[in-house]
Amino acid sequence: MELGDRMNQHALALVDVRKRFGQTEIINGVNLEIVAGERHALIGPNGAGKSTLFNLISGRFPVSSGSIALNGTDITSKEPQVINRLGLSRSFQINNIFPKLSVFENLRCSVLWVLGYRYSFFKRISALRDAKESAEHTLEMIGLENRREKMAGELTYAEQRALEIGITIASGASVILLDEPTAGMSRSETDVAVELISRVTEGKTLLMVEHDMGVVFDLADRISVLVYGEVIASGTPAEIRMSKKVQEAYLGTAVDGDEE
Amino acid sequence: MEFFLITLLNSLSYGLLLFMLSSGLTLIFSMMGVLNFAHASFYMLGAYFAYQTGLVFGFWPALFLAPILVGVVGAITERYGLRKVHKFGHVAELLFTFGLAYVIEEVVHLIWGRAPVDYRIPESLNFTLFTLFNTQYPAYRAFMMLVSVGMLVSLYLVLTKTRIGLIVQASLTHPEMVQALGHNVPRVFMLVFAGGCALAGLAGVLGGNLFITEPGMAFSVGSIVFVVVVVGGMGSLVGAFIASLLIGSIQTFSVGFDYSFIDLMAALGVIIDSNSSWYAGLSITISQTAPVLPYLLMVLMLIVRPRGLMGTRET
Amino acid sequence: MERAFNKSRLILWSSVALLFVLLPFVFPGGFALSILSQLGIAIIFALSYNMLLGQTGLLSFGHAVYFGLGAFVTAHAINFVESGVFGLPISFMPLVGGLAGLVFSLILGFVTTRRPGTPFAMISLGIAEMVAASALMFTTFFGGEGGIVTNRTAGGAVWGISYGPQVQVYYLIAVWCFISMALMFVITRTPLGRIANAVRDNPERTQFVGYNPTRVRWIMMSLAGFFAGIGGALTTINYEIITAESLGLMASGNVVLMAFIGGIGQFWGPIIGAVLVTFLQSFLSNFTQAWLLYFGLLFLLIILFSPGGISSIITIHAPVWRAGVMKRLLPSYMFALWAGFVTLVGIIGVIELLYRGTLVVGVHVAVTWVFAGLLVLVGAFFLRRAIRAVAQVWADLTPELARWS
């Protein structure tokens, strides 16, 4: 198959992506293909470069080399807002909300661009019914209706996490990146979050970084394992569970002292 | 030729003075994320303290006393002011130092009045070091350069070779970790802030009697220092160094050029009619534009390379 | 809350309009009119500044540039009307100033808004210095040291209004102030206004919801420049002269003070700040040389203890008011006020003594010194206790207030 054809078929396609910070190569040539509509988990030991990879895909950092394509369109090293407007949305590991706006306002701001209001200062925002309804809808989906007017900075951690996801999906992007969505959550909070995630990503493409294996095996259609900036294995949960390479990566280098 | 050499030497001494100021500012900014708007006010305090203590003790003790006094003021400011405001964010910190600049200026008015004070070069340094062509080069300028270089070299050595210097460097990027290791990071911050202010004070001691010592000196120098930091790249000492020399040169050289666009055209053989409506604008000489040039450079830098010459980080 | 024509809001705005109309009758006299005119201009300026700081998180130290440039352009425009180059009623001159402010902030803003936060603050300072320095270079436009003089009655009377008498100028200012206030308020309730808040809170996140934060800042900057220009035009009309001082650092610093003291967290905060600072400047400067020092100290106090300004002090009490427990606060507040007053008198005494000459030493002066010093110490001692008492009352109240906030 032609390179161009391959890229056209996937929601997200990374070809030989590399990222260097100074002298250190964090991402060592990653090839990854995410099929549209699939739920894909990215796992790997700490420091493997998962968040960096997310940052490269979403435009937070430019790549050192390689290419990234979203639904066939090249998005390599583009500005984050450009990538977002093409249909990719991401959440953050550390809550990245608008602390001084209300929960409702957080969600409303997330849909303004998508609904075409751009930089308009001629319309009263309270009159924009579609923005209001869209925000209400998201509000319900993430279960924060009774927190509607609360300042986002005053929510509990788990509520902020939910809002974080809400902001990410509010604009209706087709490709969603979630960076450790259940980080810091208790067992019961995680279950709620998993249920939320699977609901809101219905029919969308999901790529998520996760450490909680329970979550991964619950949600993911396919898993990729990132170690030292390279994808060492990619397949269904069952395949990954069996893979010797993965076992080595998680257990081998830690136990064997002379293997650097 | 003579003009060039003399002006070059003057640029160097002025540039080094600027660097003393901007290095303190950069250090404080790198470590604490605070842009000390009142930095030039500490420069001014250094000059005034030196003048006052010089009246009692003479220049040489004042040279040591004044910066220490300024450092103490800086430490108090950090401990009781800045530290409190820290939790409100960077904007609040910047505004605090902004208000502080106002207050320091007014207190100076209060104590020393609005007119310039007679802070003079000490007799022991008031001679000609050498005569280049026909111009006499004052020893004081050379002394200034010597002290500046000496101060900066010792600063470099302290930061890189001593234990406290290493702690300071570590706190620059990982204050929480350093604190977890048992060091008193708030105290380190206070030391760095006081040190930066003392450095500014020293610059004031040196510069105050060469340039004039008056209440307005803080604001005039302060803006230039900001330009230096922006052009050099925020958070970069090397950038501050290059930018200090660059801007020092621009300011010193441009004051000496009494040529205007009209003169340039005349040299090319084009005479512009003095009755034309453009004459007024075109007859502006370079020396008249001198005050604007550093800011123009800053604007250009922002257009072409927003992070400055050696800047690495967004704030 | 978000309904189109909120009745209480309508009443509020109508009352404001009525107030503007009636003020000259409540406070008649030349001096009062002059202050009221200054107030109107200051309000426009401070509100335009808050579009940058409170709404978009842009701390600018050079906002007076647009105010001043608007003023200068208007001055020249009025002079053109006087010499017959074109005709435009003085009533519409503020638009000229506004457009000038808009154009300049579009141009300069393009360069300055690329970086937020601290770099922006420094750059704004640099631009302000640059413009102030150029003012002495381009004497035809800026008029050098003497500035540009103009005649606000130029063009003759339109519908009987000549702007000769101050009261007419006041009403002109009042009208434009009201219009500007209303427009600026409406802008806060538009998509741009809300996104500007989002950019203030978390510029990076706005990128990830599709917005370019630099573009947002640039647009807000331009709008702020527009309104500042209107203020500038009005000041030209009011004083009939404009000098480079109006676009200088003092003026820029002044508006920072106004906005911050009043409170940047609420739309109406800067209005309070503008009124307070303008009043104090006009009155205090008659009584003491130290007025700028007092301002600086007030500013520092506000930043240290209530960075939200006066407006935040007011809004903090809203739940208390709603819960009906204001009475509980009174005793400790009275205590604090008394102690604070004593300390204040002492401090003022010390400062004034210093200003009047440290060299004059006599028994009289020495006694006053001692007295003032004592006041400060005593006042400070009680003040500390008072503050603790206030904190205690609030700590007791807070759990009860949870329902009301």
Side-chain angles (χ1 to χ4, degrees):
Chain A
M1 247 192 297
E2 270 282 15
L3 190 72
D5 288 342
R6 261 170 63 210
M7 285 177 105
N8 275 328
Q9 291 182 350
H10 295 104
L12 204 57
L14 279 69
V15 177
D16 198 37
V17 171
R18 290 174 192 274
K19 179 64 183 172
R20 227 183 345 267
F21 285 107
Q23 300 291 16
T24 335
E25 257 213 341
I26 302 290
I27 304 290
N28 279 325
V30 164
N31 292 289
L32 194 59
E33 281 129 24
I34 318 280
V35 175
E38 82 165 314
R39 294 203 178 123
H40 200 106
L42 192 61
I43 64 175
N46 269 325
K50 302 190 291 297
S51 279
T52 309
L53 199 61
F54 260 35
N55 288 333
L56 292 174
I57 298 173
S58 60
R60 214 177 180 201
F61 299 150
V63 305
S64 300
S65 68
S67 66
I68 307 176
L70 175 68
N71 290 321
T73 316
D74 181 55
I75 57 168
T76 322
S77 300
K78 294 234 163 82
E79 293 264 312
Q81 64 268 18
V82 174
I83 299 177
N84 177 266
R85 293 169 194 168
L86 288 170
L88 181 143
S89 194
R90 71 162 288 182
S91 77
F92 290 82
Q93 199 178 337
I94 302 179
N95 282 329
N96 216 3
I97 55 181
F98 302 114
K100 291 206 220 123
L101 300 179
S102 71
V103 171
F104 178 74
E105 205 59 70
N106 265 265
L107 294 172
R108 186 159 60 176
C109 283
S110 311
V111 298
L112 287 176
W113 183 271
V114 141
L115 291 174
Y117 292 112
R118 305 288 188 268
Y119 305 103
S120 155
F121 53 91
F122 292 114
K123 299 184 167 63
R124 247 192 344 261
I125 202 172
S126 49
L128 305 178
R129 217 179 287 139
D130 49 356
K132 185 163 177 280
E133 279 167 6
S134 174
E136 299 275 10
H137 178 65
T138 313
L139 192 62
E140 270 173 65
M141 273 217 279
I142 59 175
L144 288 181
E145 301 101 314
N146 60 340
R147 295 314 225 175
R148 191 182 191 273
E149 297 301 329
K150 202 120 176 86
M151 234 171 37
E154 292 171 7
L155 295 176
T156 68
Y157 179 77
E159 286 171 337
Q160 283 187 349
R161 253 12 226 130
L163 179 60
E164 176 72 34
I165 294 177
I167 296 177
T168 309
I169 56 134
S171 52
S174 60
V175 177
I176 311 259
L177 269 55
L178 294 180
D179 196 348
E180 297 198 38
T182 64
M185 286 189 182
S186 68
R187 187 79 258 142
S188 53
E189 285 169 344
T190 305
D191 290 337
V192 172
V194 166
E195 194 270 331
L196 170 67
I197 293 172
S198 89
R199 224 182 334 125
V200 299
T201 55
E202 208 52 70
K204 303 194 203 280
T205 312
L206 171 67
L207 173 63
M208 70 176 175
V209 167
E210 249 308 336
H211 278 302
D212 188 328
M213 285 308 149
V215 173
V216 172
F217 287 119
D218 263 349
L219 280 176
D221 299 326
R222 285 208 301 144
I223 303 176
S224 292
V225 184
L226 193 68
V227 178
Y228 287 134
E230 279 181 67
V231 175
I232 61 164
S234 196
T236 64
E239 288 167 4
I240 295 298
R241 240 194 283 243
M242 295 298 156
S243 161
K244 280 258 176 322
K245 266 199 282 183
V246 176
Q247 287 170 6
E248 253 177 42
Y250 269 98
L251 306 170
T253 44
V255 171
D256 257 333
D258 28 282
E259 286 213 32
E260 272 300 307
Chain B
M1 188 54 189
E2 166 190 346
F3 168 76
F4 183 74
L5 277 179
I6 292 291
T7 316
L8 191 66
L9 284 172
N10 286 343
S11 311
L12 198 58
S13 56
Y14 179 54
L16 282 172
L17 200 71
L18 278 181
F19 183 50
M20 267 214 284
L21 279 168
S22 53
S23 60
L25 194 65
T26 303
L27 269 177
I28 295 176
F29 176 72
S30 303
M31 163 147 321
M32 302 160 76
V34 179
L35 188 69
N36 185 9
F37 208 93
H39 202 70
S41 307
F42 289 106
Y43 165 77
M44 176 171 73
L45 279 180
Y48 274 93
F49 282 168
Y51 164 71
Q52 200 64 42
T53 52
L55 285 179
V56 179
F57 296 113
F59 177 76
W60 295 98
L63 184 63
F64 291 98
L65 269 178
I68 294 177
L69 280 174
V70 178
V72 167
V73 175
I76 297 176
T77 310
E78 200 280 334
R79 176 76 183 76
Y80 294 106
L82 219 48
R83 203 176 291 188
K84 235 179 174 282
V85 185
H86 183 65
K87 59 179 180 293
F88 296 130
H90 286 320
V91 171
E93 284 173 326
L94 185 54
L95 281 171
F96 175 76
T97 57
F98 174 69
L100 193 66
Y102 259 94
V103 170
I104 291 182
E105 172 140 346
E106 285 306 305
V107 169
V108 165
H109 274 164
L110 190 62
I111 301 179
W112 284 285
R114 282 170 204 268
V117 288
D118 192 16
Y119 177 38
R120 285 206 227 116
I121 301 175
E123 280 311 309
S124 45
L125 288 172
N126 197 9
F127 58 92
T128 309
L129 190 61
F130 54 84
T131 312
L132 198 62
F133 302 93
N134 286 323
T135 318
Q136 302 172 315
Y137 193 74
Y140 190 71
R141 279 210 182 237
F143 173 70
M144 249 175 67
M145 283 204 273
L146 201 67
V147 174
S148 311
V149 171
M151 188 70 237
L152 294 165
V153 166
S154 26
L155 185 70
Y156 174 75
L157 288 174
V158 163
L159 275 181
T160 50
K161 306 279 186 228
T162 67
R163 199 166 148 272
I164 184 76
L166 289 175
I167 296 176
V168 166
Q169 280 202 61
S171 310
L172 260 163
T173 43
H174 296 86
E176 293 99 17
M177 195 60 223
V178 175
Q179 179 128 23
L181 285 172
H183 298 288
N184 190 344
V185 172
R187 192 171 328 138
V188 172
F189 278 12
M190 188 171 82
L191 264 166
V192 171
F193 191 79
C197 293
L199 208 57
L202 180 62
V205 174
L206 293 173
N209 52 22
L210 188 62
F211 312 113
I212 203 167
T213 299
E214 49 140 18
M217 64 197 278
F219 271 116
S220 48
V221 170
S223 320
I224 300 285
V225 174
F226 278 179
V227 170
V228 165
V229 170
V230 169
V231 167
M234 301 199 53
S236 162
L237 276 172
V238 177
F241 183 69
I242 300 175
S244 302
L245 292 179
L246 180 64
I247 291 180
S249 313
I250 290 178
Q251 280 198 293
T252 319
F253 270 96
S254 61
V255 175
F257 280 124
D258 267 328
Y259 305 111
S260 72
F261 189 69
I262 305 247
D263 298 320
L264 175 68
M265 287 283 105
L268 293 174
V270 179
I271 308 292
I272 298 184
D273 185 6
S274 60
N275 288 321
S276 94
S277 47
W278 292 106
Y279 192 79
L282 293 176
S283 63
I284 294 175
T285 63
I286 295 183
S287 57
Q288 282 178 305
T289 65
V292 182
L293 289 174
Y295 305 110
L296 214 54
L297 177 65
M298 183 187 78
V299 172
L300 281 169
M301 180 64 74
L302 286 171
I303 299 177
V304 167
R305 194 185 162 97
R307 59 192 170 94
L309 287 171
M310 316 282 299
T312 47
R313 40 189 278 180
E314 295 283 326
T315 312
Chain C
M1 264 310 211
E2 299 268 19
R3 267 173 304 131
F5 264 120
N6 201 322
K7 207 169 182 195
S8 59
R9 207 165 267 165
L10 193 62
I11 296 178
L12 184 66
W13 282 96
S14 315
S15 320
V16 170
L18 197 63
L19 183 72
F20 278 15
V21 169
L22 292 178
L23 272 173
F25 298 101
V26 178
F27 300 105
F31 184 60
L33 268 183
S34 157
I35 297 272
L36 287 174
S37 307
Q38 283 178 45
L39 280 180
I41 296 174
I43 289 176
I44 300 176
F45 191 27
L47 281 176
S48 79
Y49 184 71
N50 209 29
M51 286 182 82
L52 290 178
L53 183 56
Q55 287 170 38
T56 322
L58 286 171
L59 176 61
S60 164
F61 286 116
H63 198 52
V65 164
Y66 309 107
F67 181 86
L69 285 172
F72 273 103
V73 169
T74 308
H76 288 294
I78 295 180
N79 288 341
F80 281 144
V81 167
E82 178 119 46
S83 52
V85 172
F86 66 89
L88 182 70
I90 299 288
S91 310
F92 293 110
M93 277 300 168
L95 262 180
V96 172
L99 281 170
L102 178 67
V103 167
F104 283 111
S105 56
L106 269 171
I107 299 174
L108 291 172
F110 183 72
V111 169
T112 58
T113 53
R114 283 166 163 208
R115 309 189 61 195
T118 312
F120 173 80
M122 297 204 301
I123 293 160
S124 68
L125 183 67
I127 298 271
E129 285 274 30
M130 187 176 84
V131 174
S134 327
L136 292 171
M137 277 178 8
F138 298 107
T139 47
T140 25
F141 185 73
F142 291 104
E145 294 275 352
I148 304 276
V149 177
T150 169
N151 178 7
R152 71 191 187 207
T153 62
V158 177
W159 299 333
I161 303 175
S162 65
Y163 294 116
Q166 182 68 31
V167 70
Q168 289 180 0
V169 177
Y170 164 76
Y171 277 113
L172 177 71
I173 295 175
V175 165
W176 278 100
C177 182
F178 188 78
I179 295 176
S180 306
M181 274 191 346
L183 284 177
M184 285 193 261
F185 182 73
V186 165
I187 289 178
T188 63
R189 274 156 169 66
T190 58
L192 177 69
R194 287 297 144 93
I195 288 293
N197 291 342
V199 168
R200 170 199 68 200
D201 282 359
N202 194 341
E204 200 181 19
R205 205 44 153 109
T206 55
Q207 285 185 307
F208 290 104
V209 297
Y211 276 94
N212 184 344
T214 305
R215 182 65 62 88
V216 174
R217 286 183 214 121
W218 187 33
I219 298 178
M220 286 301 277
M221 171 109 240
S222 310
L223 290 173
F226 173 70
F227 288 107
I230 292 180
L234 287 170
T235 211
T236 301
I237 296 174
N238 191 30
Y239 293 111
E240 293 187 295
I241 185 172
I242 186 75
T243 61
E245 237 176 51
S246 313
L247 43 74
L249 287 177
M250 270 291 288
S252 289
N254 227 16
V255 77
V256 178
L257 252 60
M258 283 189 214
F260 216 77
I261 290 176
I264 61 175
Q266 296 285 345
F267 177 77
W268 41 270
I271 299 178
I272 296 180
V275 171
L276 189 68
V277 169
T278 310
F279 258 125
L280 288 179
Q281 269 184 338
S282 306
F283 285 123
L284 271 187
S285 50
N286 290 329
F287 295 119
T288 164
Q289 280 186 296
W291 60 272
L292 199 52
L293 177 59
Y294 292 129
F295 266 119
L297 287 173
L298 175 64
F299 185 66
L300 282 182
L301 277 175
I302 298 234
I303 298 185
L304 282 172
F305 298 109
S306 175
I310 292 178
S311 73
S312 77
I313 296 178
I314 295 179
T315 50
I316 275 187
H317 287 86
V320 181
W321 182 265
R322 281 196 284 257
V325 290
M326 285 292 271
K327 285 197 293 281
R328 300 252 289 267
L329 291 172
L330 275 174
S332 50
Y333 274 25
M334 290 279 106
F335 184 26
L337 258 144
W338 170 85
F341 181 68
V342 170
T343 322
L344 185 64
V345 171
I347 292 178
I348 293 179
V350 170
I351 293 180
E352 291 304 322
L353 278 171
L354 278 173
Y355 260 103
R356 266 140 234 254
T358 42
L359 303 173
V360 180
V361 179
V363 176
H364 237 30
V365 182
V367 165
T368 326
W369 267 102
V370 170
F371 187 56
L374 266 176
L375 278 180
V376 175
L377 288 171
V378 167
F381 173 73
F382 281 112
L383 191 59
R384 288 190 69 169
R385 300 184 130 204
I387 289 178
R388 246 173 281 160
V390 170
Q392 185 60 47
V393 176
W394 271 97
D396 293 338
L397 268 179
T398 307
E400 291 179 44
L401 291 175
R403 313 189 284 130
W404 296 92
S405 42

